[in-house]
Amino acid sequence: MITIPSRGYLDLDVGGQTIRLQGEGFRQGPVDFVVVGAQIRRWDDGAEVTESEREAILDHLLACAARQGLTIEID
């Protein structure tokens, strides 16, 4: 599930773990949020994100966005 508490980040639940993804949210337009993929470095508990986890996070993000009717782009 995606929550967007701020224009500058969104929170994503990935199998019970949460990660905060940096980016920029837009109130109007074709895109709801642009995520900065290079900033995906640590889970909220401080553990480092591996490259394979980063790919899985982005896949999960896009799948959740589609289910929630959000348009997300990765920068």
Side-chain angles (χ1 to χ4, degrees):
M1 174 164 198
I2 299 169
T3 55
I4 305 175
S6 166
R7 184 173 173 203
Y9 63 86
L10 62 80
D11 293 329
L12 177 66
D13 182 337
V14 183
Q17 281 186 291
T18 303
I19 189 162
R20 180 160 285 175
L21 304 177
Q22 304 298 316
E24 184 171 2
F26 301 95
R27 295 199 188 276
Q28 297 177 356
V31 175
D32 294 303
F33 204 92
V34 176
V35 170
V36 180
Q39 294 296 321
I40 301 172
R41 297 185 182 144
R42 296 196 178 275
W43 294 97
D44 281 2
D45 67 4
E48 287 190 42
V49 171
T50 66
E51 188 58 38
S52 63
E53 286 176 325
R54 182 184 338 277
E55 291 174 20
I57 289 165
L58 293 174
D59 289 344
H60 185 68
L61 171 67
L62 296 176
C64 286
R67 283 194 302 273
Q68 290 180 237
L70 298 170
T71 303
I72 305 282
E73 288 187 0
I74 312 301
D75 183 27

